[in-house]
Amino acid sequence: TNMEPVKTYALPVGVTLDRYIMRKQSDFPFATGELSQLLRDIALAGKIINREINRAGLIDVTGAFGANNVQGECQQKLDVIANIRFIRALKNGGEACAIISEEDEEIIYTGNDHAKYVVAMDPLDGSSNIDVNVSIGTIFSIYRRVTPTGTRATIDDFMQGGRKQVAAGYILYGSSTMLVYTTGHGISGFTYDHSLGEFFLSHAEINSPVTGTIYSCNEGNYPMFPATVRDYVDSCRQKNFMARYIGSLVADFHRNMIKGGIYLYPPTEKTPKGKLRLLYECFPLAFLAEQAGGRASDGFRDILDMEPTHLHQRTPLYIGARQLVEELLGKM
Ligand code: P6P
């Protein structure tokens, strides 16, 4: 028999998510499979939501739903469906003991008090884009709980800070549906094949260009931006950067991660603390940005170093190619 050691091949593009997760888990001798199962449960919820989104035009779910969510925003029916689907998938999967969601003010207890993980999520971000058929996304962040297993989770499990995330990612419901995530050892991207109902590895290792020529912000708010940010946007225009703003954070972030660019959501009079949510939008995307070699800041400190104080707290966000973010910070 050949006594040569088995060469560990980089996993070939085209491997399914399940096989990828299994092979990656074997890289961690002490892994016991719960995080792997949790990632599978998130992927399953993503498949279900993907189907609902693709049918949205056919059945009346795109109209605004009567209720308003905790943010006081007019709740699109798909928001509600996505939230319910994720909660159900995580409850049934059994690996998450608690969830926080943009759609719910309070912590959601799954009843799985022996589970090791908690999940913070924005089940469907960019929902104002749903009824105009623009890309939307799910964002998720996973922590190992700090409270004793067997007890009910508490807010402490969610307030550990961005650098304690064990995994983070997003699902982009775009021209194709992609699942992109990290467990702290690089970023992998999977593309969904509807005909097979499987996610296949399509981006084995995603690294951001260290710089770029794309800036992404709501130019309509320019007059309200802090002077230093206006100065930075002016410099982008002077350098003939491309302005690209989809108005859906996951889509803007994903494009910048692949092509190189910076996304800015500064504080404005309307949103003096910024608009985006720290726990389930900025922490997970900042984890990914740093894994991709980029940077994420609120203008004063790295997003991942920020102290969470409230489940739904907002923060300004400057995120993307390292050199572009650092040029902006140099003006602060
Ligand atoms: P504005 C969508 O509502 C969202 O949360 C992000 O997905 C998006 O980047 C941002 O807000 C758009 O906000 O104020 O420019 O419409």
Side-chain angles (χ1 to χ4, degrees), residues 284-304:
L285 295 186
F287 187 9
L288 287 163
E290 289 200 2
Q291 285 288 310
R295 185 134 184 215
S297 171
D298 70 343
F300 303 100
R301 82 224 82 179
D302 283 351
I303 292 287
L304 290 180

mmCIF file of all heavy atoms in Angstrom, residues 284-304:
data_model
loop_
_atom_site.group_PDB
_atom_site.id
_atom_site.type_symbol
_atom_site.label_atom_id
_atom_site.label_comp_id
_atom_site.label_asym_id
_atom_site.label_seq_id
_atom_site.Cartn_x
_atom_site.Cartn_y
_atom_site.Cartn_z
ATOM 1 N N PRO A 284 -20.949 41.414 12.490
ATOM 2 C CA PRO A 284 -20.657 40.315 11.554
ATOM 3 C C PRO A 284 -19.928 40.777 10.298
ATOM 4 O O PRO A 284 -18.966 40.133 9.843
ATOM 5 C CB PRO A 284 -22.041 39.726 11.231
ATOM 6 C CG PRO A 284 -23.058 40.650 11.782
ATOM 7 C CD PRO A 284 -22.393 41.481 12.824
ATOM 8 N N LEU A 285 -20.335 41.926 9.729
ATOM 9 C CA LEU A 285 -19.669 42.382 8.502
ATOM 10 C C LEU A 285 -18.244 42.854 8.799
ATOM 11 O O LEU A 285 -17.338 42.679 7.981
ATOM 12 C CB LEU A 285 -20.485 43.477 7.819
ATOM 13 C CG LEU A 285 -21.855 43.039 7.284
ATOM 14 C CD1 LEU A 285 -22.499 44.176 6.495
ATOM 15 C CD2 LEU A 285 -21.756 41.787 6.419
ATOM 16 N N ALA A 286 -18.025 43.401 10.006
ATOM 17 C CA ALA A 286 -16.669 43.821 10.373
ATOM 18 C C ALA A 286 -15.755 42.601 10.537
ATOM 19 O O ALA A 286 -14.584 42.623 10.135
ATOM 20 C CB ALA A 286 -16.709 44.629 11.674
ATOM 21 N N PHE A 287 -16.307 41.517 11.077
ATOM 22 C CA PHE A 287 -15.544 40.257 11.213
ATOM 23 C C PHE A 287 -15.113 39.797 9.818
ATOM 24 O O PHE A 287 -13.943 39.499 9.563
ATOM 25 C CB PHE A 287 -16.427 39.235 11.918
ATOM 26 C CG PHE A 287 -15.778 37.924 12.316
ATOM 27 C CD1 PHE A 287 -14.395 37.723 12.227
ATOM 28 C CD2 PHE A 287 -16.549 36.876 12.787
ATOM 29 C CE1 PHE A 287 -13.808 36.517 12.612
ATOM 30 C CE2 PHE A 287 -15.973 35.662 13.185
ATOM 31 C CZ PHE A 287 -14.607 35.482 13.080
ATOM 32 N N LEU A 288 -16.071 39.798 8.890
ATOM 33 C CA LEU A 288 -15.761 39.388 7.513
ATOM 34 C C LEU A 288 -14.748 40.340 6.874
ATOM 35 O O LEU A 288 -13.780 39.909 6.239
ATOM 36 C CB LEU A 288 -17.046 39.352 6.677
ATOM 37 C CG LEU A 288 -18.009 38.201 6.955
ATOM 38 C CD1 LEU A 288 -19.392 38.504 6.392
ATOM 39 C CD2 LEU A 288 -17.477 36.907 6.370
ATOM 40 N N ALA A 289 -14.961 41.647 7.077
ATOM 41 C CA ALA A 289 -14.071 42.637 6.447
ATOM 42 C C ALA A 289 -12.632 42.404 6.891
ATOM 43 O O ALA A 289 -11.705 42.362 6.072
ATOM 44 C CB ALA A 289 -14.523 44.049 6.798
ATOM 45 N N GLU A 290 -12.429 42.179 8.201
ATOM 46 C CA GLU A 290 -11.064 41.965 8.705
ATOM 47 C C GLU A 290 -10.511 40.638 8.201
ATOM 48 O O GLU A 290 -9.355 40.557 7.791
ATOM 49 C CB GLU A 290 -11.041 42.011 10.237
ATOM 50 C CG GLU A 290 -11.268 43.410 10.793
ATOM 51 C CD GLU A 290 -10.791 43.570 12.233
ATOM 52 O OE1 GLU A 290 -10.235 42.599 12.807
ATOM 53 O OE2 GLU A 290 -10.967 44.674 12.789
ATOM 54 N N GLN A 291 -11.364 39.598 8.132
ATOM 55 C CA GLN A 291 -10.910 38.312 7.586
ATOM 56 C C GLN A 291 -10.484 38.451 6.122
ATOM 57 O O GLN A 291 -9.615 37.722 5.645
ATOM 58 C CB GLN A 291 -12.039 37.267 7.698
ATOM 59 C CG GLN A 291 -12.251 36.740 9.097
ATOM 60 C CD GLN A 291 -11.128 35.820 9.540
ATOM 61 O OE1 GLN A 291 -10.750 34.895 8.823
ATOM 62 N NE2 GLN A 291 -10.539 36.092 10.695
ATOM 63 N N ALA A 292 -11.109 39.410 5.422
ATOM 64 C CA ALA A 292 -10.785 39.605 3.997
ATOM 65 C C ALA A 292 -9.603 40.553 3.824
ATOM 66 O O ALA A 292 -9.251 40.916 2.697
ATOM 67 C CB ALA A 292 -12.010 40.145 3.259
ATOM 68 N N GLY A 293 -9.011 40.993 4.944
ATOM 69 C CA GLY A 293 -7.870 41.913 4.886
ATOM 70 C C GLY A 293 -8.282 43.365 4.881
ATOM 71 O O GLY A 293 -7.463 44.258 4.678
ATOM 72 N N GLY A 294 -9.570 43.621 5.089
ATOM 73 C CA GLY A 294 -10.076 44.997 5.086
ATOM 74 C C GLY A 294 -10.194 45.549 6.492
ATOM 75 O O GLY A 294 -9.552 45.055 7.432
ATOM 76 N N ARG A 295 -11.030 46.585 6.629
ATOM 77 C CA ARG A 295 -11.113 47.258 7.925
ATOM 78 C C ARG A 295 -12.541 47.764 8.123
ATOM 79 O O ARG A 295 -13.262 48.043 7.160
ATOM 80 C CB ARG A 295 -10.115 48.417 7.941
ATOM 81 C CG ARG A 295 -9.998 49.134 9.263
ATOM 82 C CD ARG A 295 -8.566 49.379 9.695
ATOM 83 N NE ARG A 295 -8.569 49.989 11.043
ATOM 84 C CZ ARG A 295 -7.697 50.890 11.460
ATOM 85 N NH1 ARG A 295 -6.735 51.299 10.657
ATOM 86 N NH2 ARG A 295 -7.759 51.396 12.678
ATOM 87 N N ALA A 296 -12.957 47.921 9.365
ATOM 88 C CA ALA A 296 -14.295 48.459 9.665
ATOM 89 C C ALA A 296 -14.191 49.331 10.901
ATOM 90 O O ALA A 296 -13.629 48.903 11.913
ATOM 91 C CB ALA A 296 -15.290 47.330 9.894
ATOM 92 N N SER A 297 -14.730 50.549 10.809
ATOM 93 C CA SER A 297 -14.583 51.520 11.891
ATOM 94 C C SER A 297 -15.872 52.324 12.051
ATOM 95 O O SER A 297 -16.683 52.417 11.123
ATOM 96 C CB SER A 297 -13.433 52.484 11.563
ATOM 97 O OG SER A 297 -13.391 53.563 12.504
ATOM 98 N N ASP A 298 -16.045 52.918 13.249
ATOM 99 C CA ASP A 298 -17.168 53.847 13.431
ATOM 100 C C ASP A 298 -16.661 55.284 13.287
ATOM 101 O O ASP A 298 -17.357 56.242 13.573
ATOM 102 C CB ASP A 298 -17.847 53.668 14.801
ATOM 103 C CG ASP A 298 -16.944 54.155 15.946
ATOM 104 O OD1 ASP A 298 -15.712 54.326 15.723
ATOM 105 O OD2 ASP A 298 -17.460 54.357 17.053
ATOM 106 N N GLY A 299 -15.413 55.421 12.889
ATOM 107 C CA GLY A 299 -14.802 56.739 12.722
ATOM 108 C C GLY A 299 -13.789 57.020 13.823
ATOM 109 O O GLY A 299 -12.913 57.853 13.671
ATOM 110 N N PHE A 300 -13.934 56.283 14.963
ATOM 111 C CA PHE A 300 -13.015 56.506 16.089
ATOM 112 C C PHE A 300 -12.317 55.221 16.489
ATOM 113 O O PHE A 300 -11.178 55.232 16.947
ATOM 114 C CB PHE A 300 -13.791 57.079 17.290
ATOM 115 C CG PHE A 300 -14.506 58.355 16.937
ATOM 116 C CD1 PHE A 300 -15.867 58.353 16.648
ATOM 117 C CD2 PHE A 300 -13.798 59.545 16.814
ATOM 118 C CE1 PHE A 300 -16.514 59.519 16.274
ATOM 119 C CE2 PHE A 300 -14.443 60.718 16.432
ATOM 120 C CZ PHE A 300 -15.807 60.701 16.168
ATOM 121 N N ARG A 301 -13.009 54.087 16.396
ATOM 122 C CA ARG A 301 -12.366 52.824 16.797
ATOM 123 C C ARG A 301 -12.856 51.728 15.859
ATOM 124 O O ARG A 301 -13.873 51.908 15.165
ATOM 125 C CB ARG A 301 -12.696 52.521 18.264
ATOM 126 C CG ARG A 301 -14.043 51.855 18.536
ATOM 127 C CD ARG A 301 -14.775 52.440 19.696
ATOM 128 N NE ARG A 301 -15.469 53.657 19.259
ATOM 129 C CZ ARG A 301 -16.222 54.366 20.080
ATOM 130 N NH1 ARG A 301 -16.318 54.029 21.345
ATOM 131 N NH2 ARG A 301 -16.856 55.429 19.640
ATOM 132 N N ASP A 302 -12.111 50.632 15.846
ATOM 133 C CA ASP A 302 -12.542 49.488 15.038
ATOM 134 C C ASP A 302 -13.897 49.015 15.539
ATOM 135 O O ASP A 302 -14.120 48.902 16.751
ATOM 136 C CB ASP A 302 -11.512 48.353 15.135
ATOM 137 C CG ASP A 302 -10.272 48.636 14.279
ATOM 138 O OD1 ASP A 302 -10.298 49.616 13.503
ATOM 139 O OD2 ASP A 302 -9.287 47.894 14.404
ATOM 140 N N ILE A 303 -14.773 48.693 14.613
ATOM 141 C CA ILE A 303 -16.103 48.197 14.987
ATOM 142 C C ILE A 303 -15.980 47.029 15.963
ATOM 143 O O ILE A 303 -16.662 46.978 16.987
ATOM 144 C CB ILE A 303 -16.877 47.756 13.719
ATOM 145 C CG1 ILE A 303 -17.217 48.963 12.844
ATOM 146 C CG2 ILE A 303 -18.132 46.966 14.100
ATOM 147 C CD1 ILE A 303 -18.298 49.885 13.329
ATOM 148 N N LEU A 304 -15.061 46.111 15.690
ATOM 149 C CA LEU A 304 -14.965 44.903 16.522
ATOM 150 C C LEU A 304 -14.510 45.207 17.941
ATOM 151 O O LEU A 304 -14.661 44.373 18.835
ATOM 152 C CB LEU A 304 -14.030 43.879 15.864
ATOM 153 C CG LEU A 304 -14.569 43.230 14.580
ATOM 154 C CD1 LEU A 304 -13.553 42.231 14.031
ATOM 155 C CD2 LEU A 304 -15.907 42.537 14.812
#
